[in-house]
mmCIF file of all heavy atoms in Angstrom:
data_model
loop_
_atom_site.group_PDB
_atom_site.id
_atom_site.type_symbol
_atom_site.label_atom_id
_atom_site.label_comp_id
_atom_site.label_asym_id
_atom_site.label_seq_id
_atom_site.Cartn_x
_atom_site.Cartn_y
_atom_site.Cartn_z
ATOM 1 N N THR A 16 19.532 11.628 15.151
ATOM 2 C CA THR A 16 19.557 11.987 16.621
ATOM 3 C C THR A 16 18.069 12.362 16.906
ATOM 4 O O THR A 16 17.450 11.909 18.032
ATOM 5 C CB THR A 16 20.432 13.129 16.922
ATOM 6 O OG1 THR A 16 21.735 12.709 16.542
ATOM 7 C CG2 THR A 16 20.395 13.531 18.460
ATOM 8 N N GLU A 17 17.395 13.220 16.246
ATOM 9 C CA GLU A 17 16.062 13.659 16.435
ATOM 10 C C GLU A 17 15.125 12.576 16.335
ATOM 11 O O GLU A 17 14.169 12.386 17.281
ATOM 12 C CB GLU A 17 15.675 14.791 15.420
ATOM 13 C CG GLU A 17 14.255 15.322 15.578
ATOM 14 C CD GLU A 17 13.858 16.307 14.604
ATOM 15 O OE1 GLU A 17 14.708 16.800 13.831
ATOM 16 O OE2 GLU A 17 12.597 16.675 14.555
ATOM 17 N N LEU A 18 15.145 11.665 15.408
ATOM 18 C CA LEU A 18 14.306 10.534 15.315
ATOM 19 C C LEU A 18 14.365 9.587 16.579
ATOM 20 O O LEU A 18 13.359 9.082 16.972
ATOM 21 C CB LEU A 18 14.741 9.727 14.040
ATOM 22 C CG LEU A 18 14.062 8.416 13.802
ATOM 23 C CD1 LEU A 18 12.513 8.609 13.471
ATOM 24 C CD2 LEU A 18 14.632 7.582 12.633
ATOM 25 N N LEU A 19 15.562 9.458 17.151
ATOM 26 C CA LEU A 19 15.692 8.463 18.180
ATOM 27 C C LEU A 19 15.754 8.911 19.490
ATOM 28 O O LEU A 19 15.878 8.198 20.527
ATOM 29 C CB LEU A 19 16.929 7.524 17.856
ATOM 30 C CG LEU A 19 16.854 6.901 16.438
ATOM 31 C CD1 LEU A 19 18.247 6.154 16.148
ATOM 32 C CD2 LEU A 19 15.778 5.862 16.361
ATOM 33 N N ALA A 20 15.763 10.233 19.731
ATOM 34 C CA ALA A 20 15.983 10.834 21.008
ATOM 35 C C ALA A 20 14.944 10.519 21.988
ATOM 36 O O ALA A 20 13.839 10.440 21.682
ATOM 37 C CB ALA A 20 15.921 12.413 20.831
ATOM 38 N N GLY A 21 15.368 10.188 23.086
ATOM 39 C CA GLY A 21 14.459 9.794 24.246
ATOM 40 C C GLY A 21 13.966 8.449 24.332
ATOM 41 O O GLY A 21 13.162 8.062 25.107
ATOM 42 N N LEU A 22 14.341 7.507 23.419
ATOM 43 C CA LEU A 22 13.868 6.230 23.353
ATOM 44 C C LEU A 22 14.338 5.362 24.491
ATOM 45 O O LEU A 22 15.471 5.606 25.082
ATOM 46 C CB LEU A 22 14.180 5.473 22.113
ATOM 47 C CG LEU A 22 13.435 5.989 20.846
ATOM 48 C CD1 LEU A 22 13.856 4.990 19.637
ATOM 49 C CD2 LEU A 22 11.946 5.902 20.989
ATOM 50 N N SER A 23 13.498 4.519 24.940
ATOM 51 C CA SER A 23 13.991 3.457 25.987
ATOM 52 C C SER A 23 13.320 2.212 25.743
ATOM 53 O O SER A 23 12.394 2.105 24.942
ATOM 54 C CB SER A 23 13.614 4.026 27.381
ATOM 55 O OG SER A 23 12.227 4.264 27.502
ATOM 56 N N GLY A 24 13.776 1.185 26.455
ATOM 57 C CA GLY A 24 13.078 -0.184 26.340
ATOM 58 C C GLY A 24 13.416 -0.941 25.065
ATOM 59 O O GLY A 24 14.577 -0.716 24.497
ATOM 60 N N THR A 25 12.457 -1.639 24.676
ATOM 61 C CA THR A 25 12.721 -2.555 23.404
ATOM 62 C C THR A 25 12.205 -1.888 22.172
ATOM 63 O O THR A 25 11.261 -1.222 22.142
ATOM 64 C CB THR A 25 11.871 -3.875 23.611
ATOM 65 O OG1 THR A 25 10.535 -3.563 23.852
ATOM 66 C CG2 THR A 25 12.467 -4.659 24.768
ATOM 67 N N VAL A 26 13.081 -2.118 21.051
ATOM 68 C CA VAL A 26 12.788 -1.348 19.877
ATOM 69 C C VAL A 26 12.850 -2.433 18.719
ATOM 70 O O VAL A 26 13.660 -3.327 18.797
ATOM 71 C CB VAL A 26 13.743 -0.233 19.597
ATOM 72 C CG1 VAL A 26 13.591 0.418 18.205
ATOM 73 C CG2 VAL A 26 13.750 0.776 20.710
ATOM 74 N N ILE A 27 11.987 -2.275 17.764
ATOM 75 C CA ILE A 27 12.107 -3.024 16.531
ATOM 76 C C ILE A 27 12.173 -1.847 15.470
ATOM 77 O O ILE A 27 11.473 -0.880 15.371
ATOM 78 C CB ILE A 27 10.790 -3.840 16.128
ATOM 79 C CG1 ILE A 27 11.025 -4.572 14.855
ATOM 80 C CG2 ILE A 27 9.414 -3.094 16.288
ATOM 81 C CD1 ILE A 27 9.991 -5.722 14.604
ATOM 82 N N GLU A 28 13.407 -1.984 14.618
ATOM 83 C CA GLU A 28 13.579 -1.184 13.562
ATOM 84 C C GLU A 28 13.422 -1.932 12.265
ATOM 85 O O GLU A 28 14.088 -2.902 12.024
ATOM 86 C CB GLU A 28 14.999 -0.562 13.547
ATOM 87 C CG GLU A 28 15.311 0.326 12.410
ATOM 88 C CD GLU A 28 16.706 1.122 12.431
ATOM 89 O OE1 GLU A 28 17.326 1.043 13.443
ATOM 90 O OE2 GLU A 28 16.951 1.547 11.364
ATOM 91 N N VAL A 29 12.554 -1.531 11.388
ATOM 92 C CA VAL A 29 12.146 -2.217 10.186
ATOM 93 C C VAL A 29 12.823 -1.535 8.906
ATOM 94 O O VAL A 29 12.670 -0.344 8.888
ATOM 95 C CB VAL A 29 10.706 -2.405 10.004
ATOM 96 C CG1 VAL A 29 10.356 -3.160 8.810
ATOM 97 C CG2 VAL A 29 10.085 -3.006 11.233
#
Side-chain angles (χ1 to χ4, degrees):
T16 299
E17 180 180 349
L18 174 69
L19 304 174
L22 288 187
S23 62
T25 56
V26 174
I27 183 168
E28 180 177 346
V29 181

